[in-house]
Amino acid sequence: MAWLQDYVIHTGVLGIVEAVLGLLAFGALLSALLGSAAIKAGAIVTVLFVILALFILLVANKVEWRRRADVPRRVLRNYCDSLESRGQQWRTKSWVEEVDVQANGDVRQRISLSVVAECEQLDFVTLTTGPNWDWPDRNKPKVRLKVRSFEMSDEGGTRFDYMSDWLERSRLKVIVYLHEPASMGSEVSFVVDLEWPAKCVPLMRGYDPDDFVLQFGKPVEEVKCVVVLPPGFRVCFDKLGLTTADDFTLKSFPTRSGQVETTLVVHNAPANRKFGMRLDLRHEAQP
């Protein structure tokens, strides 16, 4: 019993189901090879019913555990929102976003940011990102996320604890818990790596342009957004939410590997204003 308990703890329900299915498959194989026609048919029907029952059990188990996980996640997010409004304050000093778009519309996104604490003790930092179209909800479980400290020389690269939750319009909110509280005026830097399935499908299939926009609650000293398309694709681009009074540069150029890189750099980025760039495939480059 002790061995079975340890096996269940470390393997989980899925591992047990796999073991049961393996035994059933082995039994069905022996019945099919050695038994009569009636035994063969009975073995096949039994295995099919057991597999169906196990599948239903797995689905029900997954739905129940997801429901249980949603409650504490929602409570924790609301608690952090309250703490943020009551004094957990910071300002973003720099934001560098690199978006690597694949030919099928999948995206690898890296956000490197530095924040400055504006309270006595800063315990967490939040950020929100997501697609700019009616992205299918079925892709949400496929999103992969990692948060780690910024690497400088031989130091850094360790992982941060975090919690993520989905908001309206498929916006993903990430709450990053700092290794130790940051004191007033101190700076914290970390990197967020995301893998988004089908995030830029409308752009890469030539259906619609895609907007890469940002918004901050306070002015940011430097914001940089880089979007890289695969070889063979050319783009048109426009600025969004920026005027001649803003200090920015926007350019697009081919790289040595044949990719197209479009870069927006904004100095002293404005607060409470959406800004960024719109990309669209040139007609001759549409697949």
Side-chain angles (χ1 to χ4, degrees):
M1 291 301 296
W3 174 87
L4 180 60
Q5 181 179 359
D6 184 70
Y7 180 81
V8 171
I9 291 174
H10 290 89
T11 305
V13 177
L14 185 59
I16 298 175
V17 170
E18 290 175 347
V20 172
L21 290 178
L23 293 174
L24 288 173
F26 182 70
L29 178 62
L30 291 179
S31 299
L33 292 176
L34 305 176
S36 63
I39 295 178
K40 294 178 182 179
I44 293 174
V45 172
T46 301
V47 169
L48 290 177
F49 273 106
V50 171
I51 291 176
L52 179 61
L54 289 174
F55 178 76
I56 295 174
L57 177 63
L58 282 176
V59 172
N61 180 74
K62 185 176 181 180
V63 171
E64 174 63 18
W65 279 105
R66 180 177 295 177
R67 185 191 66 80
R68 294 183 184 182
D70 284 343
V71 175
R73 181 183 293 110
R74 185 167 57 252
V75 171
L76 184 57
R77 194 192 79 192
N78 292 337
Y79 181 67
C80 290
D81 290 343
S82 299
L83 289 177
E84 188 175 343
S85 63
R86 295 175 184 176
Q88 283 285 300
Q89 295 293 322
W90 68 90
R91 64 177 177 86
T92 303
K93 181 179 179 180
S94 66
W95 176 288
V96 179
E97 184 170 345
E98 302 166 274
V99 182
D100 187 6
V101 184
Q102 307 299 305
N104 63 352
D106 291 349
V107 167
R108 290 195 296 266
Q109 180 182 5
R110 170 168 291 182
I111 302 172
S112 305
L113 67 155
S114 297
V115 301
V116 178
E118 293 188 335
C119 57
E120 291 186 1
Q121 285 192 330
L122 180 64
D123 296 299
F124 63 88
V125 176
T126 64
L127 59 96
T128 305
T129 184
N132 288 307
W133 60 289
D134 192 15
W135 187 65
D137 288 344
R138 66 176 181 273
N139 289 327
K140 289 180 178 179
K142 301 177 184 178
V143 174
R144 297 292 178 263
L145 172 64
K146 294 180 181 178
V147 184
R148 56 184 176 83
S149 61
F150 193 77
E151 294 186 54
M152 296 184 63
S153 300
D154 296 330
E155 185 179 352
T158 58
R159 287 174 291 180
F160 280 91
D161 291 331
Y162 69 89
M163 189 202 75
S164 60
D165 197 14
W166 291 100
L167 309 178
E168 296 180 354
R169 296 180 61 250
S170 299
R171 308 296 292 174
L172 180 63
K173 182 169 185 177
V174 182
I175 303 175
V176 180
Y177 303 100
L178 306 183
H179 296 321
E180 54 186 9
S183 58
M184 174 77 75
S186 61
E187 184 176 328
V188 179
S189 301
F190 55 92
V191 178
V192 181
D193 288 314
L194 298 115
E195 294 182 8
W196 291 88
K199 186 180 182 182
C200 289
V201 163
L203 172 66
M204 299 310 295
R205 293 185 179 177
Y207 298 154
D208 292 300
D210 204 340
D211 295 342
F212 298 85
V213 295
L214 298 167
Q215 184 176 8
F216 301 92
K218 299 178 181 180
V220 183
E221 294 179 16
E222 183 177 13
V223 175
K224 183 178 182 180
C225 181
V226 181
V227 179
V228 181
L229 298 186
F233 291 85
R234 298 177 59 202
V235 293
C236 308
F237 59 90
D238 279 313
K239 63 180 184 296
L240 293 174
L242 296 168
T243 66
T244 55
D246 296 308
D247 183 6
F248 74 94
T249 58
L250 176 59
K251 57 184 179 180
S252 183
F253 55 88
T255 65
R256 292 182 178 179
S257 59
Q259 298 174 299
V260 175
E261 180 178 307
T262 306
T263 302
L264 171 67
V265 178
V266 183
H267 297 283
N268 299 318
N272 300 316
R273 189 211 305 177
K274 287 186 177 181
F275 65 90
M277 56 184 173
R278 171 172 293 178
L279 300 185
D280 197 0
L281 291 186
R282 292 189 181 273
H283 179 71
E284 65 271 18
Q286 293 182 7

